[in-house]
Amino acid sequence: MRGKNRVVAALMVLIMGSVAGCGASSAERSEEVVQETEVLEETGTQSQTSIETNIIEIPQQVPNILVDQTGFNVDSEKVAIFRGKRIPSDFSIINLESGETVYKGEVVKATLDEASGKYYGIGRFNDLREPGNYYIYADYIGESLSFSIGKDVYRAVFDEACRKYYTNRCGIAISQVDSGDNGHSACHTTEARLQENTETTIDVTGGWHMDELADRDVYIGTRIVDNLLLAYEMNPDAFTDETGIPESGNGIPDIIDELKYESDWLLKMQDTKTGGVYGAAVTVSNAGGDIFSAPVEVTPVSMDATISFAATMARFSYVYQQFDQEYATAALKASDRAWECFSINQSVYESTAAFRAAAQLYRATGSDKYQHVLDSFFARDDLMTLFETDENVFIGAVSYLSTNQEVDKEQCEKLIKALMKRSEAIAAKATESRYLVADAAEGEDFTTLLDEARCLTITNHIIYNHEYTTIIENHAHYMMGMNPSCVNFVTNSTERNHEDIEEYKGVMNDPQKDALLIFMLSVLEN
């Protein structure tokens, strides 16, 4: 008798329950579906069974109701973005624990994106003020991921962002209990060789690792310190003395303690003879070697590093004098020496970096030699263009506006108008954007978005505008889930976050972006 083949196919499909972040229509996770094919061969009286298993990868579906997965403060404006081929007229908010519908709202401003063929709408729920965990449901497009409403929903994120610099410290042991994979034993504790003269060694212990190679860079470090100092100046009450670093509880805000740790290293990077500043302390490791025990080399004096050092140490001196006047004075002297070194080698009247440094040093000292440089830039026809396009001129102008020294009132009026014009342009773009931000960047490059939030924060500090605060908060919402990918690019503690994206390290793991993130969140913590 001819053998008989019988094929039995079984397809296992996981149906997601109606729990926030697990909505069947919009928030499904990528699942492996096992397809089993059972082949039963009958040959006479003997049967043989073989099981063939194929793994079918179902593409991950992205929710079509976009929310900030971290959540919303009780008193803040609350918003979600709805998108789809068909947009419902209303939505419901459901308590995650009880399953009860606690709020109903309308979807408004639905507009068609012709490129995708999808409509985008906005739902607001400002009246929902009860702390708790929730998710949103709407007909046709399903569910959002979960989010919370609370009195201080960003505090944990803000403190984590501030504490990130502690885990990047070089020269000390970082506990794995407190810092997980970032923990390591004391590293790079021996003197480093100069690249230009390998027989000479200097002490450059300390500072922050800037990348996975454990390099420490003066230019990058000074820019980070400068941003964090400015954030502290504008919103000092946002920063606490209890983030969990070794200096916590000493009566000085932890962010200032952290900035002093980096400043201690920056001072070591200044050449004692010339006042110039070495560019970087780079780790020299073979492939696969332990970077924490590898030797360190110091790159040559860099004029870019020198003038950036001059600017930042002047700002640090200005801020730190309330905590330690002796150290602040030493920092200011180091800043002036760096300025003199730069001025010998390059023209301070042609360098926008010198304008930034002059503004900082003038605020700290009131010296005419810095005022002359500022005046030369104020006389330039392209100053307002530079204000729009050059980071040095922008930050230098902000420093000039905040000085207690004698200033040119006419120039201050021009700079304030330019600042307001820039902020109004950002606000207008954000209002027109379907994601309510000026720069809807996808992927990991949030530099422009963070820069725009910083500009609004600075303007908001000088001339308070509630609209700016809302737009700043919308920038935070965007980065933490209210974006096209519905990903929290900031933390890894929510349902769909940057760890779900291959090879993406998250905003906090980029020291420069982390500083701008702290700048943005500080106004929301104030």
Side-chain angles (χ1 to χ4, degrees):
M1 184 175 76
R2 183 180 177 183
K4 180 181 179 182
N5 295 333
R6 183 164 55 90
V7 177
V8 180
L11 181 65
M12 300 174 62
V13 179
L14 177 62
I15 301 177
M16 309 299 286
S18 60
V19 178
C22 301
S25 59
S26 65
E28 294 177 356
R29 297 288 183 179
S30 177
E31 300 293 339
E32 289 184 345
V33 176
V34 181
Q35 178 174 301
E36 295 184 349
T37 303
E38 180 182 333
V39 181
L40 177 62
E41 295 184 349
E42 296 181 0
T43 306
T45 58
Q46 184 179 13
S47 296
Q48 295 180 344
T49 302
S50 64
I51 301 294
E52 297 177 0
T53 301
N54 298 317
I55 303 299
I56 303 173
E57 186 76 13
I58 296 178
Q60 188 176 32
Q61 295 186 31
V62 178
N64 284 313
I65 303 176
L66 313 177
V67 295
D68 179 341
Q69 294 177 58
T70 298
F72 305 86
N73 285 317
V74 168
D75 296 324
S76 69
E77 296 194 25
K78 308 172 188 70
V79 63
I81 305 296
F82 298 78
R83 66 182 176 190
K85 298 290 185 179
R86 184 179 181 185
I87 294 290
S89 59
D90 54 31
F91 64 92
S92 301
I93 298 182
I94 301 166
N95 184 288
L96 184 62
E97 282 75 28
S98 69
E100 296 180 358
T101 297
V102 297
Y103 187 89
K104 285 186 175 293
E106 295 181 355
V107 180
V108 299
K109 296 183 178 180
T111 57
L112 176 64
D113 175 37
E114 294 183 359
S116 65
K118 291 184 178 181
Y119 287 89
Y120 287 79
I122 298 173
R124 301 187 185 278
F125 46 103
N126 299 340
D127 295 338
L128 180 56
R129 299 169 54 84
E130 182 66 26
N133 298 311
Y134 304 94
Y135 68 98
I136 300 174
Y137 172 80
D139 290 340
Y140 317 131
I141 53 179
E143 300 170 357
S144 73
L145 298 176
S146 62
F147 61 91
S148 65
I149 293 177
K151 292 184 178 180
D152 195 359
V153 296
Y154 294 120
R155 171 50 65 181
V157 177
F158 183 72
D159 287 347
E160 182 184 355
C162 291
R163 196 176 183 278
K164 201 68 178 179
Y165 293 100
Y166 166 68
T167 64
N168 288 337
R169 286 188 187 184
C170 182
I172 65 171
I174 303 297
S175 170
Q176 288 186 332
V177 174
D178 296 330
S179 304
D181 294 339
N182 292 310
H184 59 77
S185 58
C187 59
H188 308 136
T189 56
T190 59
E191 291 194 336
R193 296 184 182 278
L194 298 182
Q195 285 187 346
E196 288 185 316
N197 183 359
T198 57
E199 294 182 357
T200 301
T201 61
I202 60 174
D203 174 20
V204 292
T205 54
W208 300 321
H209 296 149
M210 293 297 174
D211 53 34
E212 59 274 6
L213 300 177
D215 293 335
R216 290 160 287 160
D217 186 280
V218 168
Y219 183 81
I220 296 175
T222 53
R223 292 303 172 110
I224 292 170
V225 170
D226 206 58
N227 272 317
L228 291 175
L229 284 169
L230 184 55
Y232 174 78
E233 285 191 72
M234 293 189 169
N235 296 294
D237 293 340
F239 298 89
T240 72
D241 186 27
E242 50 188 29
T243 61
I245 65 174
E247 296 86 352
S248 292
N250 66 355
I252 298 175
D254 285 349
I255 196 65
I256 298 298
D257 287 321
E258 197 60 65
L259 295 176
K260 182 179 181 297
Y261 191 87
E262 176 73 359
S263 295
D264 288 343
W265 175 75
L266 289 171
L267 291 171
K268 293 179 181 179
M269 292 292 286
Q270 186 172 39
D271 180 29
T272 56
K273 296 180 180 179
T274 67
V277 180
Y278 300 108
V282 297
T283 304
V284 183
S285 61
N286 297 323
D290 181 9
I291 60 173
F292 295 118
S293 60
V296 172
E297 291 182 352
V298 178
T299 63
V301 167
S302 158
M303 287 300 105
D304 287 341
T306 298
I307 195 63
S308 189
F309 173 97
T312 297
M313 295 311 292
R315 187 188 292 277
F316 185 83
S317 170
Y318 185 85
V319 174
Y320 202 68
Q321 60 184 326
Q322 62 183 298
F323 304 109
D324 186 337
Q325 290 189 351
E326 183 178 351
Y327 188 96
T329 299
L332 185 58
K333 289 180 178 178
S335 170
D336 183 67
R337 291 195 66 220
W339 171 271
E340 292 299 328
C341 176
F342 182 86
S343 63
I344 291 171
N345 289 276
Q346 295 190 19
S347 171
V348 294
Y349 296 98
E350 297 178 2
S351 166
T352 60
F355 173 80
R356 171 172 164 254
Q360 299 281 30
L361 280 158
Y362 179 68
R363 183 169 76 140
T365 68
S367 172
D368 288 344
K369 69 178 179 181
Y370 307 122
Q371 179 67 66
H372 292 158
V373 175
L374 296 173
D375 288 341
S376 72
F377 273 86
F378 291 148
R380 291 177 58 156
D381 294 334
D382 62 345
L383 179 65
M384 291 301 104
T385 300
L386 291 173
F387 180 87
E388 289 287 339
T389 60
D390 191 292
E391 168 80 359
N392 289 316
V393 174
F394 176 73
I395 294 299
V398 171
S399 298
Y400 187 74
L401 289 173
S402 62
T403 183
N404 291 323
Q405 306 291 349
E406 184 177 351
V407 296
D408 185 326
K409 293 183 179 179
E410 183 179 349
Q411 290 299 331
C412 285
E413 289 177 0
K414 290 180 180 179
L415 293 174
I416 289 176
K417 287 181 180 178
L419 182 62
M420 292 180 65
K421 179 182 177 181
R422 183 170 175 174
S423 294
E424 283 299 312
I426 294 171
K429 286 195 298 181
T431 301
E432 295 170 1
S433 167
R434 64 175 59 97
Y435 295 103
L436 305 177
V437 295
D439 178 68
E442 295 189 48
E444 63 179 285
D445 189 9
F446 292 101
T447 302
T448 301
L449 184 145
L450 288 165
D451 280 343
E452 289 169 339
R454 180 186 61 173
C455 181
L456 291 175
T457 300
I458 292 169
T459 308
N460 201 45
H461 175 75
I462 297 174
I463 304 172
Y464 176 74
N465 185 327
H466 178 70
E467 178 190 5
Y468 290 170
T469 303
T470 300
I471 295 172
I472 292 165
E473 192 159 14
N474 285 337
H475 280 62
H477 295 330
Y478 182 90
M479 296 184 68
M480 288 185 264
M482 207 170 72
N483 53 66
S485 302
C486 200
V487 168
N488 184 342
F489 289 100
V490 176
T491 75
N492 61 0
S493 58
T494 58
E495 291 178 74
R496 182 174 167 84
N497 59 69
H498 61 83
E499 291 189 347
D500 297 325
I501 301 178
E502 188 175 357
E503 297 182 355
Y504 184 72
K505 60 184 180 181
V507 172
M508 284 189 195
N509 292 316
D510 182 324
Q512 295 184 83
K513 290 187 177 70
D514 190 36
L516 293 173
L517 173 69
I518 291 169
F519 208 120
M520 178 179 70
L521 293 180
S522 65
V523 74
L524 306 180
E525 282 298 318
N526 189 27

